Amino acid sequence: PIRAEAAIMTPATNILALRSGKMIQMFNLDTKSKLKSHDVDSPIVYWKWTSATNLALVTAASVYHWSSEGTSAPVKMFERHATIGANTQIINYQVSPDQKWCLLGGISAGAGGGVNGNMQLYSADKKVSQPLQGHAGAFCMVNLPGRDDPAQLLVFHEKKVDDPGHKLFVMEVGRDPSKGAPHRLPPTAIPVPAEAASDFPVSMVIDAKDDVAFLLSKMGFVYMFDIPSGKTMFRTRITQETVFVTCAQESTGAIFGITVRSGKVLRIGLNGPNLVPYIVNTLRDTDLAIKVAGRLGLPGAEHLYTQEFERLIGSGQVKEAAALVAGSGTALRTPETIARFQQIPAQPGAPQPVFQYFSTLLENGKLNEQESIELAKPVLQQGRPQLMEKWLKDDKLACSEQLGDLIMPVDTAMALSVYLRSNCHPKAIQCFVQRGEYDKIVPYSTSVGYTMDYSSMLSQLLFSNPQGALDLAKGLVSAEGGPLIDIQATAEAFLSSNRVQETTAFLLEALKDNKEEHAYLQTKLLEINLIGGAPQVADAIMQNGILTHYDRAHIGKLCERAGMWQRAAEHYSDINDIKRVFKNSHQMNPEFVVTYFGKLNREQSIALLKDMMSRGPSNMQVCVEVAKKYHEELGADELVKVFENAKATEGLYYFLGAIVNFSEDAVVHFKYIQSACMLGQFKEAERVCRDSNIYNAEEVKTYLKNAKLPDPRPLIHVCDRYDFVDELTEYLYLNSLLQYVEVYVTKVSPTKTPQVVGKLFDLGANEDFTKRILMAVGTACPVEDMVEIAETRNRLRMLQPWLEARVATGSTEPGTHNALGKIYIQMNKDPKAFLTNNMFYEPKVLGPFCESLDPSLAFVAYKKGAGECDDELVKISFTHGLYRDLARYLVERQDLELWSKVLTKEEPAEGEAEPDAEKEGQRRQLIDQVVEWALPESESADEVSCTVKAFMAADLPGELITLLERIILQGSDFSDNKNLQNLLILTAIRADHTRVAGYIDQLDNFDAKDIALICVSESHMLYEEGYSIYVKFAKPEFTVDKDEQVEMQVLAIGVLVDYMKDLDRAKGFANQVDEKPVWSKLGCSQLEEKMAAEAITSFINAEDPSEYVKVCAEANE
């Protein structure tokens, strides 16, 4: 559902407009789809469909037009005039028929409680507006007397503010100035009743059928105006309520309105029979009554017409009298009136009065029968039939038999037209006969239901006019409702007169429905032409296929006698008859022959093909076409046998060539290859062997090998695609087709070169030829496969030039460099340099290759793997005792995971108490090499750090101490490394504390405080070593800052008093350093040990009174 505040439907189609706020949408209710939508800038105060496709939108400031067609947005037409501004309530909007004029109307409050009306007339061409004072108006199209073009009129009400009178204006808008001045009537007063002085119009509706305008007011009054004259014809009050909406009904001229409160639907229409008497008797306007009665054809003014006519005739006003008669409807259109004009004598230099009369009538409409006859008499006497033809064409004359009789002597075609229009059937048929239009007689008679004796007419015509008889007979036999004559009797009548051509034409028309009961006549029709010397006619009839019930066998024999072989074949079904006819197939159209086979069954087709092929090569081409078209129905195998039995290899080739690209039959592909080879079409054989996936490869290969073709390329493609490379190589080699070996590996399949070379090795081919092939293939040959084949045959060295050439071209394939490396290693051609410097070989390939030849080379190869071959490298090092090399590699690799593999002790195997002694010995030798050589040689801090971490991770404290001593104590770049010195002391603390004191004396760059705290911890209790560290680092050469020196001294005496409990030694240390914080620390410890006197001395030396309370208390005790 869609929420909307207003909806409005088009007047002619099912298109609905919905309005919700500023949103407008259009929907097509037939297709149930939304056409378009738009958001307007300002609220809409009035809207209206002005046509089936245009929606007018009025806002406070402007007027827009929005088309329901296309996707365009609303188009602004004009701005509202100041006189019809925002304070005016819009109640009406009109658009002229030519869409070039717009009329916007509204009302607003006036002085004294009145209601003012204002309208705005806008010209779309001139882009200008004209304000009008009034309440209602409308546009209409009216045909005015004396004018050829219709007038576009604006009819509107005027009521000025300062004038109590109401007026009606009628004026033409939009007329082309070149056609004359626009029509305009003087304004006429509208008779508003006294009791409705404050009333005002709310709408004006046009009755376009009668050219009448209806004006409805707020108080329920309706006024009816005659638009051509602008006069008021009627006024009455039809309701006490306001009619708020109105519309016109075009078909009747009536208008409809709906009242405001009760919602009554009112219908207001013209009461024709009473209108003229009302004008005459009530309005007493004779002129208006005459004009209205004449224009609308209404009764009630006959006596007025008579009086006026007599007056005009009496005064000699012929033209005016004629115009009065023309405008009187049928009141004065009588023979008497014609006689009156005929009796009036003509004036010199002027046309006869009767001609003036007829001319006026023709200008205003159509003449009746009597008028048409009276006009025709003098016109035809004067020899002017073209005028009659023009009036008939313009439908200005009433046709009758008498009029046709007048015209018949002059013009039969015109007379026929009159007879046809007046339904004078005998006279019309007489005209057809006179004009020789016999074929039109029967259709006309049938269409109008007229019957006559056709047999006698046909008999007469047969001798006098055979073609006319034929036309009439054809019409009679094809009449609606069935033939009007006997077909066979009529045909025999034509034949009895030896009219073969007319008989044929008649029977073709009579038998066109192809009915079974006409079988005899169909046969007769073909027979008379085949025997009578017109076989081409019979051929054309059979070609059209309109007759199917004749005796086919009989006609077939007649066709064969006439030499019409194709037609004869079409009529035979027995294969012997068909074979007999097809002896003349060389005289038949090849397309016919091919198509004819489609009508035969499989057995008949095969038999006929065999018969045709047995007559020599003249039929081969058409037989090939038949085989091409019907191979699916007849079977390719059978067709191949037919061609092979007839030894028609060329025909077989062309037949199979047409289907091989689409066939999935292996036999078709094989036979095509075979026939191509037999005919020397090696290119085509090569194409199929190369592209087809259907043929049996083994069968084709065997055939091609046995055929020993001078061009082996078909065999090459078969063997290449289906991997018969060894057989191909052997065939080419043994048949001295070595150039094709090279063609195969260079042009066809370079990737198969290894297989070819391998087979050449096996066949003992010349080594130079093999090398030449390899060099010709170059980098296109897969190196891995080639190397494998060469290795298995111990011919690897032969590849050296080819491999070196690949390297020279920039090849980085690992396989190439692997193979070259193997050759250099075998030849001992500086293999270590190759293994060290070459970046492209695979260590996992050359490493194992080298192990059996030289383990050191294998180590170099594995080392080149940069971690990928670590397991192999460790294994070969342990196996062949390459501990020093392994140690250096481990230090350089800096891989803790790899270190863990070689340093971690292996758990004893199940059931054994100790681990493998051999492996443990290998591990010990590796550790020794690391300690003795590898690490001392290193100049990289990262390498040293990683190695130390590895030893720590492997839980080798003793080995770590040895390693660190070698690095730190024996002089190296890392002797002063703080981290290493820290690590050496800490390792000794944990593993061998007897060495700690010595390390403290020898080492100077370690974290003294941290190491001392670890020494005096409960887990180690190395108090002496901790004391030594504090004392050493309290010296100026180790600690520059005086406060830090004192701090070290305090920590040192702390070790003596807190951990060692040696107060005497502490006293001696205090006397030695003589620092106040040291004396304070000693005093506190003496005080705790109840040594009051010594404590007092120490605090005095420290000048520290902070503990005086405790000192006093202890002294008193």
Side-chain angles (χ1 to χ4, degrees):
I2 301 174
R3 301 177 66 89
E5 62 190 36
I8 185 171
M9 181 80 77
T10 62
T13 60
N14 286 335
I15 294 179
L16 178 69
L18 297 179
R19 190 179 79 217
S20 178
K22 294 183 180 181
M23 167 66 76
I24 310 175
Q25 303 179 76
M26 288 188 186
F27 293 88
N28 188 324
L29 301 184
D30 291 332
T31 61
K32 295 181 173 58
S33 61
K34 183 166 77 171
L35 298 179
K36 56 200 328 187
S37 63
H38 185 74
D39 283 320
V40 295
D41 296 332
S42 304
I44 295 170
V45 299
Y46 182 83
W47 64 341
K48 178 182 179 180
W49 286 100
T50 63
S51 70
T53 59
N54 183 61
L55 179 63
L57 308 173
V58 183
T59 68
S62 305
V63 176
Y64 298 84
H65 282 186
W66 193 23
S67 174
S68 62
E69 299 174 340
T71 59
S72 61
V75 177
K76 183 177 179 180
M77 297 300 294
F78 58 92
E79 299 281 348
R80 285 172 58 172
H81 195 269
T83 59
I84 191 167
N87 294 327
T88 301
Q89 177 188 349
I90 303 301
I91 62 172
N92 189 25
Y93 182 70
Q94 301 282 338
V95 178
S96 64
D98 64 359
Q99 307 295 313
K100 295 181 179 180
W101 295 82
C102 306
L103 182 67
L104 180 66
I107 57 175
S108 59
V115 177
N116 294 335
N118 286 286
M119 294 184 291
Q120 178 181 355
L121 178 63
Y122 176 76
S123 169
D125 287 343
K126 299 178 180 178
K127 309 294 184 186
V128 295
S129 294
Q130 177 182 350
L132 304 173
Q133 294 188 45
H135 293 78
F139 295 98
C140 62
M141 299 296 291
V142 175
N143 291 315
L144 298 175
R147 274 181 50 169
D148 294 331
D149 59 316
Q152 180 175 260
L153 303 180
L154 170 62
V155 184
F156 67 93
H157 157 270
E158 181 188 78
K159 170 65 173 69
K160 295 185 177 180
V161 177
D162 55 354
D163 185 356
H166 297 255
K167 296 179 181 179
L168 181 74
F169 278 76
V170 178
M171 64 181 191
E172 185 175 6
V173 292
R175 191 184 191 196
D176 185 354
S178 63
K179 295 183 179 181
H183 174 74
R184 187 182 184 109
L185 294 176
T188 58
I190 300 175
V192 178
E195 66 272 18
S198 61
D199 194 14
F200 60 90
V202 293
S203 66
M204 177 176 285
V205 187
I206 301 298
D207 170 8
K209 176 175 174 291
D210 301 319
D211 295 340
V212 172
F214 292 93
L215 183 69
L216 285 85
S217 72
K218 183 178 184 300
M219 295 177 65
F221 283 92
V222 62
Y223 300 84
M224 185 170 70
F225 305 103
D226 176 54
I227 295 176
S229 65
K231 295 181 178 181
T232 305
M233 294 191 293
F234 186 70
R235 179 198 72 198
T236 187
R237 189 172 192 175
I238 58 174
T239 179
Q240 300 296 321
E241 302 179 50
T242 301
V243 178
F244 77 97
V245 63
T246 56
C247 69
Q249 186 180 35
E250 294 182 3
S251 60
T252 64
I255 68 169
F256 290 87
I258 303 176
T259 61
V260 173
R261 296 185 182 86
S262 59
K264 293 179 181 178
V265 178
L266 306 178
R267 181 180 186 276
I268 307 167
L270 189 66
N271 188 342
N274 295 327
L275 178 60
V276 174
Y278 177 80
I279 296 174
V280 172
N281 300 324
T282 305
L283 301 182
R284 299 187 182 278
D285 190 337
T286 302
D287 181 62
L288 178 60
I290 291 174
K291 291 180 178 178
V292 171
R295 189 178 82 246
L296 303 182
L298 299 177
E302 290 79 1
H303 65 288
L304 297 177
Y305 281 122
T306 302
Q307 294 173 6
E308 183 66 12
F309 178 73
E310 293 297 336
R311 185 185 70 80
L312 292 173
I313 289 294
S315 61
Q317 296 177 286
V318 176
K319 187 175 181 180
E320 288 77 5
L324 176 66
V325 175
S328 68
T330 60
L332 298 178
R333 301 278 291 272
T334 64
E336 290 77 12
T337 303
I338 298 174
R340 290 291 303 274
F341 280 101
Q342 289 174 336
Q343 296 167 3
I344 300 174
Q347 298 295 324
Q352 294 184 8
V354 71
F355 280 130
Q356 292 187 46
Y357 169 62
F358 286 135
S359 176
T360 303
L361 292 181
L362 289 171
E363 290 176 1
N364 288 274
K366 180 178 180 180
L367 304 186
N368 57 34
E369 286 188 14
Q370 189 62 40
E371 291 167 345
S372 300
I373 293 170
E374 295 299 329
L375 175 61
K377 291 176 182 178
V379 170
L380 292 174
Q381 287 175 358
Q382 295 174 10
R384 301 171 69 186
Q386 66 274 12
L387 290 177
M388 298 295 296
E389 185 176 359
K390 177 181 181 301
W391 292 330
L392 284 170
K393 184 178 180 181
D394 296 340
D395 196 26
K396 293 289 188 178
L397 303 179
C399 295
S400 62
E401 183 177 355
Q402 293 87 339
L403 182 62
D405 293 341
L406 287 173
I407 300 174
M408 183 69 176
V410 179
D411 191 331
T412 55
M414 194 188 311
L416 176 60
S417 174
V418 173
Y419 289 141
L420 292 175
R421 296 187 191 186
S422 60
N423 294 321
C424 185
H425 309 313
K427 295 290 182 68
I429 292 174
Q430 183 180 349
C431 279
F432 284 133
V433 173
Q434 188 169 344
R435 291 169 57 83
E437 296 174 340
Y438 303 101
D439 56 327
K440 297 181 180 179
I441 294 175
V442 176
Y444 174 73
S445 300
T446 304
S447 65
V448 300
Y450 182 73
T451 58
M452 61 179 293
D453 183 6
Y454 296 110
S455 300
S456 59
M457 180 182 292
L458 193 60
S459 300
Q460 294 173 7
L461 288 174
L462 189 58
F463 295 99
S464 62
N465 189 348
Q467 183 60 42
L470 173 61
D471 294 339
L472 179 58
K474 289 167 67 175
L476 292 171
V477 81
S478 58
E480 292 186 13
L484 301 177
I485 54 176
D486 183 88
I487 299 174
Q488 186 171 346
T490 304
E492 291 175 353
F494 276 106
L495 276 176
S496 65
S497 300
N498 199 27
R499 295 289 180 180
V500 175
Q501 185 175 349
E502 287 79 1
T503 305
T504 300
F506 167 69
L507 286 176
L508 283 174
E509 181 67 25
L511 303 179
K512 64 183 180 182
D513 293 334
N514 193 24
K515 296 180 180 179
E516 189 173 356
E517 60 264 28
H518 294 156
Y520 169 77
L521 291 173
Q522 291 184 4
T523 306
K524 192 69 175 177
L525 170 61
L526 295 172
E527 184 181 281
I528 62 176
N529 284 281
L530 287 169
I531 298 176
Q536 69 279 4
V537 176
D539 183 66
I541 294 172
M542 291 184 281
Q543 176 68 30
N544 290 334
I546 57 176
L547 306 179
T548 60
H549 300 292
Y550 57 86
D551 187 341
R552 298 185 65 83
H554 177 64
I555 298 302
K557 292 178 181 178
L558 294 178
C559 290
E560 191 172 355
R561 290 178 192 171
M564 298 169 59
W565 312 116
Q566 294 183 185
R567 293 296 174 205
E570 288 177 342
H571 288 78
Y572 287 141
S573 58
D574 184 82
I575 188 61
N576 295 319
D577 293 334
I578 296 172
K579 286 181 179 179
R580 185 179 69 252
V581 174
F582 266 78
K583 290 179 181 179
N584 302 283
S585 59
H586 58 282
Q587 298 182 28
M588 297 181 184
N589 187 322
E591 293 182 5
F592 166 80
V593 175
V594 174
T595 305
Y596 184 79
F597 272 84
K599 303 174 183 178
L600 304 178
N601 59 38
R602 188 171 185 271
E603 291 73 18
Q604 290 176 327
S605 297
I606 294 296
L608 184 56
L609 272 177
K610 289 180 178 178
D611 188 69
M612 292 176 66
M613 292 290 291
S614 67
R615 294 196 178 90
S618 60
N619 289 326
M620 186 184 70
Q621 185 174 355
V622 71
C623 290
V624 168
E625 296 302 319
V626 171
K628 287 180 185 178
K629 186 168 184 178
Y630 302 108
H631 68 276
E632 293 183 358
E633 295 82 356
L634 303 180
D637 292 348
E638 285 293 330
L639 292 171
V640 168
K641 291 178 183 177
V642 171
F643 282 101
E644 286 184 336
N645 291 338
K647 294 182 172 49
T649 304
E650 186 176 358
L652 178 63
Y653 171 73
Y654 287 118
F655 156 54
L656 295 177
I659 68 172
V660 69
N661 293 333
F662 311 102
S663 174
E664 295 186 2
D665 187 345
V667 173
V668 169
H669 289 250
F670 171 66
K671 290 295 183 180
Y672 182 66
I673 294 170
Q674 189 179 52
S675 61
C677 292
M678 293 172 67
L679 295 173
Q681 299 292 336
F682 301 120
K683 288 285 186 183
E684 193 62 16
E686 179 187 358
R687 180 187 69 81
V688 178
C689 290
R690 181 184 66 242
D691 299 337
S692 173
N693 297 315
I694 308 300
Y695 59 79
N696 184 305
E698 184 67 35
E699 182 181 33
V700 174
K701 177 200 72 176
T702 302
Y703 166 74
L704 292 175
K705 285 177 65 177
N706 295 334
K708 295 188 180 299
L709 304 176
D711 187 344
R713 278 177 287 193
L715 177 63
I716 288 174
H717 286 293
V718 174
C719 294
D720 175 62
R721 294 182 62 200
Y722 294 96
D723 207 22
F724 300 135
V725 178
D726 287 352
E727 293 183 60
L728 172 65
T729 306
E730 184 177 6
Y731 173 84
L732 296 175
Y733 181 77
L734 296 179
N735 287 279
S736 301
L737 297 171
L738 297 181
Q739 71 272 24
Y740 285 103
V741 175
E742 188 170 351
V743 169
Y744 172 62
V745 296
T746 56
K747 301 292 180 62
V748 179
S749 188
T751 58
K752 301 288 179 64
T753 303
Q755 291 175 260
V756 174
V757 172
K759 189 62 180 178
L760 290 174
F761 285 157
D762 297 340
L763 293 171
N766 184 279
E767 192 169 290
D768 291 339
F769 173 69
T770 307
K771 288 182 178 179
R772 191 176 79 230
I773 287 177
L774 278 173
M775 296 303 290
V777 176
T779 58
C781 174
V783 66
E784 290 85 356
D785 296 340
M786 189 66 252
V787 170
E788 181 182 356
I789 286 175
E791 278 188 302
T792 57
R793 292 166 173 78
N794 198 25
R795 307 290 285 272
L796 186 60
R797 288 191 181 185
M798 196 202 76
L799 304 183
Q800 182 179 350
W802 174 65
L803 294 171
E804 289 176 342
R806 289 173 69 98
V807 173
T809 62
S811 173
T812 60
E813 292 177 307
T816 301
H817 294 268
N818 290 342
L820 201 57
K822 290 178 180 180
I823 294 172
Y824 288 165
I825 292 167
Q826 287 180 335
M827 297 172 61
N828 197 24
K829 186 178 178 181
D830 199 5
K832 188 172 183 180
F834 176 86
L835 295 173
T836 302
N837 300 325
N838 190 285
M839 305 296 293
F840 305 112
Y841 71 86
E842 293 176 302
K844 286 196 174 184
V845 175
L846 289 187
F849 180 79
C850 294
E851 284 189 21
S852 60
L853 300 175
D854 187 343
S856 62
L857 292 178
F859 183 91
V860 174
Y862 288 138
K863 182 178 178 182
K864 195 72 172 179
E868 292 183 359
C869 305
D870 285 347
D871 291 341
E872 293 85 350
L873 186 145
V874 171
K875 181 179 178 182
I876 195 174
S877 298
F878 282 166
T879 302
H880 297 282
L882 304 176
Y883 298 112
R884 182 174 297 181
D885 293 333
L886 178 59
R888 290 189 180 118
Y889 177 74
L890 290 170
V891 171
E892 292 171 3
R893 279 278 288 128
Q894 303 180 46
D895 187 339
L896 292 176
E897 185 176 349
L898 180 60
W899 273 112
S900 175
K901 290 180 180 180
V902 298
L903 293 181
T904 304
K905 291 183 179 180
E906 291 190 6
E907 296 295 328
E910 189 175 351
E912 296 182 5
E914 296 293 335
D916 188 338
E918 181 182 355
K919 292 184 178 180
E920 183 62 23
Q922 292 171 344
R923 190 173 75 92
R924 291 305 316 171
Q925 291 188 62
L926 175 63
I927 292 172
D928 292 343
Q929 292 298 324
V930 172
V931 173
E932 293 296 328
W933 296 100
L935 198 60
E937 291 176 354
S938 175
E939 296 180 357
S940 169
D942 293 334
E943 292 179 355
V944 172
S945 175
C946 182
T947 304
V948 171
K949 289 179 182 177
F951 273 71
M952 292 173 62
D955 195 21
L956 298 171
E959 291 80 356
L960 181 60
I961 290 174
T962 304
L963 176 67
L964 292 173
E965 284 183 346
R966 185 69 184 266
I967 297 172
I968 298 172
L969 301 181
Q970 295 186 12
S972 72
D973 294 340
F974 307 102
S975 297
D976 293 331
N977 187 286
K978 178 180 287 189
N979 291 332
L980 294 180
Q981 291 189 11
N982 288 338
L983 183 59
L984 177 60
I985 296 172
L986 290 173
T987 305
I989 291 172
R990 183 165 64 87
D992 187 0
H993 57 79
T994 59
R995 301 189 182 194
V996 176
Y999 292 155
I1000 292 172
D1001 289 339
Q1002 295 179 65
L1003 304 177
D1004 301 327
N1005 189 26
F1006 58 88
D1007 294 318
K1009 291 182 181 179
D1010 296 334
I1011 299 296
L1013 285 175
I1014 294 172
C1015 288
V1016 300
S1017 64
E1018 292 184 5
S1019 57
H1020 300 294
M1021 294 188 293
L1022 299 175
Y1023 304 132
E1024 199 63 52
E1025 285 80 357
Y1027 174 75
S1028 299
I1029 292 172
Y1030 289 136
V1031 171
K1032 180 176 180 178
F1033 280 86
K1035 295 177 181 180
E1037 58 266 29
F1038 298 108
T1039 303
V1040 178
D1041 186 75
K1042 179 62 177 176
D1043 293 336
E1044 291 183 3
Q1045 295 175 13
V1046 173
E1047 181 183 1
M1048 287 290 185
Q1049 293 168 350
V1050 172
L1051 293 173
I1053 197 169
V1055 173
L1056 294 175
V1057 298
D1058 294 335
Y1059 296 100
M1060 301 174 66
K1061 304 298 183 181
D1062 190 347
L1063 296 179
D1064 292 336
R1065 189 175 175 184
K1067 184 176 180 180
F1069 179 73
N1071 283 318
Q1072 178 183 347
V1073 299
D1074 193 22
E1075 293 291 341
K1076 294 178 182 179
V1078 175
W1079 283 111
S1080 293
K1081 177 66 176 177
L1082 176 61
C1084 291
S1085 299
Q1086 291 172 334
L1087 190 60
E1088 291 178 357
E1089 295 296 327
K1090 309 296 184 183
M1091 299 171 64
E1094 289 81 355
I1096 291 171
T1097 302
S1098 297
F1099 281 126
I1100 291 173
N1101 290 332
E1103 298 180 359
D1104 181 9
S1106 59
E1107 299 293 336
Y1108 75 94
V1109 176
K1110 291 183 179 181
V1111 171
C1112 293
E1114 191 63 42
N1116 290 332
E1117 292 182 3

